[in-house]
Amino acid sequence: MSKPKVFEKPTGVKDYLPEAVSKLRHIERHVLDCMHRWGYEQIMTPTMEYYDTVGVASSTSDSKLFKLLNNRGTTLVLRSDMTAPIARVVSSLLKETPFPLRLSYHSNVFRAIEEEAGREAEFYQTGVELVGDPSAEADAEVVALAIASLKAAGVQRFKIAIGHVGFLNGLFEETLQGRADAQEALKACLLGRDYVGYREQLQNLSLSGPVRQELEDILRLRGGQEVCAQALNLSSDPTARASINHLCEMWNVLQEYGVTEHVLIDLTMIGDFSYYTGMTFEGYAADLGFPVVSGGRYDNLLKQFGRPAPATGFALKTTRIVELIGDDASGEEQRILIGYNAAGRAEAIKEALILRADGHTVITEQMEYQNRPAADNLGQLIYKGTAYGSYAGFYGGEPERLTGRQGRLADK
């Protein structure tokens, strides 16, 4: 019999102490409020879904799904993202609601991980889905909203890299026609940001000098609006050119939003080819090596639920953003301490109720008058290891006390 697990947790999950929870709720509250002001309505879906519907449709590989059986032997999954569950709702409960639909969410999601990977199996995401609009305007809207959401969360220094699945699909089909294995190998290198491996793959292919140079040149296609013109000169494939024109139109819209200082076009940034169908993007904060937001267009997902429609969206990696924001960003109100003895209990509790009704956070504690905290330097008050913004007073038949709301000494 194995030893009982007392303090241990499963690999990849964590406890959130009050300070971290305060930051997490601060992010959730401010980001959802930002999304609401852009016209996105919040939705909640179950933690568990059927494997045969949402599990199969998810962008998460099957090996990373948490699966379980219900009492009837049906396979369920813990949701691994929010996009597939929302697609299910859009195609069922909201099937009579006309497009476009703007939906937001904040949820925990679950993905099985390798124990040595050091990643989280449960984490939080806050995001949006814009369903029913295929335009570059819609893609630009979700990128601009992602930028506004990062700022609302307290992230100030970041960059958003935008790419397009269609550009590389068209370029590879033009230069490597009929060579599916070579195309997939090159895409895998780009998806993993393995540019050394990408160049090695090119060297191993039997390509003419101009073609090899053309495929290597895409590694330098990063920057602002000028990248669009460079990419158009690189390929004559209709799919590739249409993709670049889409990004150019997006850039023009993002200029109207006034956010291009945060954006760069990166045509090596492709996302998951099996899931995304058009524009994709990732956002990186200055002080963190992992993406803090990602998203893109996925026009094929909803047809799996019987309501074909174009869609685009993004998810903030909320758990990662918690690591970035400072303690002052949690928005936690300073607490007030009220002490009392047996004689002053009723008055102290009454005063606490009044202050709480006014929106203050108030702690009450029974204590002896001679042990009450000093009233001097109230902003630095620490009692029993806990910091308080102010000391409302001591209640209980002593010759003088601090009055609660006034914070001044007064005769009883």
Side-chain angles (χ1 to χ4, degrees):
M1 183 175 179
S2 61
K3 181 180 178 181
K5 306 291 186 182
V6 180
F7 298 114
E8 298 87 344
K9 302 182 299 295
T11 301
V13 298
K14 63 186 297 184
D15 298 308
Y16 290 86
L17 298 181
E19 181 181 353
V21 172
S22 179
K23 291 182 180 181
L24 189 65
R25 297 307 180 205
H26 169 84
I27 296 169
E28 174 188 0
R29 182 172 62 254
H30 285 76
V31 170
L32 286 174
D33 182 61
C34 173
M35 293 169 175
H36 178 74
R37 292 196 301 271
W38 284 57
Y40 289 76
E41 299 177 286
Q42 188 177 358
I43 190 172
M44 296 176 66
T45 67
T47 303
M48 293 183 293
E49 298 273 2
Y50 283 119
Y51 170 76
D52 288 339
T53 54
V54 169
V56 172
S58 170
S59 63
T60 307
S61 63
D62 195 76
S63 62
K64 293 185 178 180
L65 295 174
F66 278 103
K67 301 175 185 177
L68 56 156
L69 296 176
N70 66 9
N71 57 357
R72 297 180 181 179
T74 305
T75 303
L76 309 175
V77 294
L78 299 181
R79 61 186 175 213
S80 62
D81 62 32
M82 282 296 295
T83 304
I86 289 177
R88 173 184 58 74
V89 173
V90 168
S91 303
S92 55
L93 298 176
L94 296 177
K95 65 181 179 180
E96 302 299 330
T97 306
F99 293 135
L101 282 170
R102 288 175 169 83
L103 301 172
S104 64
Y105 61 86
H106 174 84
S107 298
N108 56 339
V109 296
F110 305 84
R111 295 178 192 170
I113 59 171
E114 297 294 335
E115 291 195 7
E116 65 273 11
R119 304 185 68 178
E120 294 183 346
E122 179 188 13
F123 51 95
Y124 289 85
Q125 292 184 340
T126 313
V128 303
E129 310 295 347
L130 173 49
V131 184
D133 188 339
S135 68
E137 298 269 348
D139 284 334
E141 178 180 316
V142 299
V143 172
L145 178 52
I147 292 170
S149 298
L150 284 172
K151 291 181 177 179
V155 183
Q156 299 301 325
R157 299 170 58 214
F158 59 89
K159 279 288 185 181
I160 303 288
I162 304 177
H164 200 294
V165 170
F167 172 72
L168 286 175
N169 279 341
L171 179 62
F172 285 163
E173 188 60 30
E174 179 185 38
T175 56
L176 299 169
Q177 188 172 15
R179 305 177 67 174
D181 291 343
Q183 292 185 33
E184 291 303 316
L186 291 173
K187 289 176 182 179
C189 290
L190 293 176
L191 185 60
R193 299 289 185 177
D194 182 7
Y195 301 135
V196 173
Y198 179 85
R199 290 189 175 94
E200 290 176 350
Q201 289 286 344
L202 289 178
Q203 293 296 325
N204 294 333
L205 298 173
S206 299
L207 301 173
S208 65
V211 171
R212 181 182 295 110
Q213 187 61 50
E214 181 181 359
L215 292 177
E216 190 168 333
D217 283 346
I218 68 171
L219 299 179
R220 289 184 282 275
L221 291 178
R222 294 194 199 97
Q225 195 170 22
E226 72 281 358
V227 171
C228 293
Q230 297 170 13
L232 287 172
N233 292 330
L234 193 62
S235 176
S236 60
D237 179 82
T239 300
R241 295 181 69 84
S243 302
I244 295 304
N245 286 328
H246 186 91
L247 289 180
C248 292
E249 188 175 350
M250 278 185 62
W251 184 274
N252 292 335
V253 179
L254 291 171
Q255 282 184 316
E256 300 297 334
Y257 279 110
V259 297
T260 51
E261 65 178 298
H262 295 288
V263 179
L264 62 87
I265 296 174
D266 181 355
L267 293 178
T268 68
M269 211 292 301
I270 57 177
D272 185 349
F273 271 91
S274 65
Y275 185 68
Y276 290 114
T277 60
M279 178 276 301
T280 66
F281 69 95
E282 285 184 344
Y284 287 84
D287 302 317
L288 193 66
F290 299 99
V292 292
V293 63
S294 63
R297 177 163 290 280
Y298 53 97
D299 288 347
N300 294 333
L301 177 62
L302 273 88
K303 69 181 180 182
Q304 299 184 51
F305 295 94
R307 193 185 183 189
T312 183
F314 69 84
L316 261 64
K317 319 297 185 182
T318 316
T319 310
R320 291 176 180 170
I321 295 175
V322 169
E323 303 174 20
L324 291 174
I325 63 175
D327 294 339
D328 58 341
S330 65
E332 182 181 1
E333 183 185 12
Q334 291 182 316
R335 291 173 289 182
I336 296 171
L337 174 64
I338 294 179
Y340 64 88
N341 62 15
R345 181 192 300 117
E347 189 180 4
I349 291 176
K350 179 181 178 181
E351 182 69 21
L353 291 174
I354 293 172
L355 290 169
R356 289 167 183 154
D358 287 341
H360 299 285
T361 300
V362 182
I363 306 295
T364 60
E365 181 164 340
Q366 184 175 13
M367 63 180 73
E368 295 301 321
Y369 181 78
Q370 61 268 27
N371 293 329
R372 69 173 178 83
D376 300 331
N377 198 13
L378 297 181
Q380 301 297 319
L381 174 62
I382 296 179
Y383 177 64
K384 292 188 176 179
T386 302
Y388 293 87
S390 61
Y391 176 49
F394 180 87
Y395 293 77
E398 301 299 335
E400 62 182 23
R401 66 174 174 85
L402 288 172
T403 61
R405 282 168 291 177
Q406 301 299 321
R408 66 174 184 269
L409 283 170
D411 292 334
K412 189 174 177 181

